[in-house]
Amino acid sequence: MAALTQKKAFYISNAIKFILLLVCGFLLMVPFIWMISVGFSRTANVQMPFPPKLIPKDPSWFNFNIVFENGQIFRAYINSGIITVCSVILGVTSSLLGGYAFSKGKFKGKKVMFLIVLGTLMIPMEPRLIPMYEMFNKLGMLNTFWPLFLPALVNGFGIFLCKQYFDRLPDSLRESAQMDGASELGIFFKIYFPLTGPIAATLVILTFIWSWNDFVWPLVVLNDPNLQTIPLYLASFSQENGTSLGGLTMALATVSVVPIIILYLFLQRFIIQSIALSGLKE
């Protein structure tokens, strides 16, 4: 009888947790649902619906047709795509190599260097804007894509995450490969790299989101309208039209987040797995 009561209490507890999580998830999704709803509302271009409604009275593809008929959105997509892909490749590769070096490597000053890497996490982007701008200005790289993805080479959070992940992998794999005469790069790429699927997928998602949504730094270094990224194009469109074209603006915002949603749906299962294996889960 006691076991039955305990089992019943367990199911009730899980049901309450599920309902609470469902309610919290819905509340978090409301702004996105409202954004999509306004994007499908043609009359929102004249006056934003008030009070806000999750289902528009006049659903129409008009706003989305206008968005895709404008060639600038495709140019902005290409620009953001180039920057994001380069940032992901450089950021993930450097983070994996740095995490491996700090986890398995043995060299002088490793702890100090790792503390310096962690210290970069305490410096926000704003104080770095002027020094970075001056540096890329002297290199003649302003108004190009180089300043937008080269900083991804040093990602303190990514290196820390990878180090925690590699710490969970056995050192015996490296020692066995060293006995066979393998080099450090050979050990990394042939033995450890195939095991980094979960953490690499997590870094891909995080780096993709950071790069795709970046607004301040591209605004500082890019002046050519033909080089505008998705956030810059959305901001310039909103600044020109304000709320007079609210439906079109929301349709554009909806289109801008589609790549992130698609990528997350494909790679979401790796996030929990990588966090659990990296030692961040309590």
Side-chain angles (χ1 to χ4, degrees), residues 49-109:
F50 186 83
K53 297 180 180 179
L54 298 183
I55 301 178
K57 288 185 177 180
D58 55 336
S60 171
W61 289 95
F62 174 80
N63 295 323
F64 290 93
N65 291 334
I66 296 297
V67 166
F68 286 110
E69 287 176 1
N70 187 351
Q72 288 182 322
I73 183 66
F74 293 105
R75 185 184 298 119
Y77 253 105
I78 293 173
N79 294 339
S80 290
I82 294 173
I83 295 169
T84 301
V85 169
C86 293
S87 297
V88 168
I89 294 175
L90 292 178
V92 174
T93 303
S94 63
S95 295
L96 289 174
L97 288 172
Y100 172 78
F102 283 118
S103 175
K104 305 301 181 183
K106 296 181 181 179
F107 52 91
K108 293 182 179 180

Side-chain angles (χ1 to χ4, degrees), residues 90-217:
L90 292 178
V92 174
T93 303
S94 63
S95 295
L96 289 174
L97 288 172
Y100 172 78
F102 283 118
S103 175
K104 305 301 181 183
K106 296 181 181 179
F107 52 91
K108 293 182 179 180
K110 183 173 76 170
K111 293 184 178 179
V112 175
M113 292 180 63
F114 186 63
L115 289 176
I116 294 174
V117 171
L118 293 181
T120 61
L121 299 177
M122 304 178 186
I123 305 174
M125 182 61 183
E126 288 74 12
R128 291 181 287 167
L129 286 177
I130 296 178
M132 290 176 63
Y133 179 88
E134 291 294 334
M135 179 182 68
F136 285 110
N137 184 32
K138 291 180 180 179
L139 294 174
M141 294 183 178
L142 293 182
N143 214 30
T144 66
F145 291 154
W146 290 99
L148 300 179
F149 59 78
L150 284 181
L153 282 170
V154 182
N155 185 348
F157 179 75
I159 293 175
F160 168 73
L161 206 63
C162 291
K163 179 187 179 302
Q164 296 297 104
Y165 184 86
F166 282 116
D167 285 344
R168 292 301 184 95
L169 299 180
D171 294 336
S172 57
L173 297 176
R174 179 172 176 268
E175 295 170 355
S176 299
Q178 284 180 327
M179 293 179 63
D180 293 335
S183 63
E184 285 295 341
L185 286 178
I187 295 172
F188 173 77
F189 284 107
K190 294 181 180 180
I191 298 178
Y192 284 98
F193 184 74
L195 304 176
T196 60
I199 194 65
T202 301
L203 288 176
V204 167
I205 293 175
L206 295 177
T207 308
F208 189 98
I209 293 175
W210 291 335
S211 179
W212 187 269
N213 291 336
D214 193 12
F215 173 74
V216 176
W217 182 232

Side-chain angles (χ1 to χ4, degrees), residues 219-275:
L219 180 64
V220 172
V221 299
L222 296 180
N223 296 320
D224 189 350
N226 293 324
L227 299 179
Q228 282 185 334
T229 60
I230 286 291
L232 292 182
Y233 175 64
L234 179 58
S236 63
F237 182 87
S238 301
Q239 186 177 7
E240 292 175 2
N241 300 282
T243 58
S244 60
L245 294 176
L248 194 57
T249 303
M250 289 301 180
L252 180 60
T254 301
V255 171
S256 68
V257 301
V258 169
I260 296 176
I261 295 175
I262 294 175
L263 182 70
Y264 179 78
L265 291 177
F266 275 104
L267 301 179
Q268 62 173 330
R269 64 189 181 92
F270 291 105
I271 294 181
I272 297 176
Q273 183 180 357
S274 65
I275 291 177

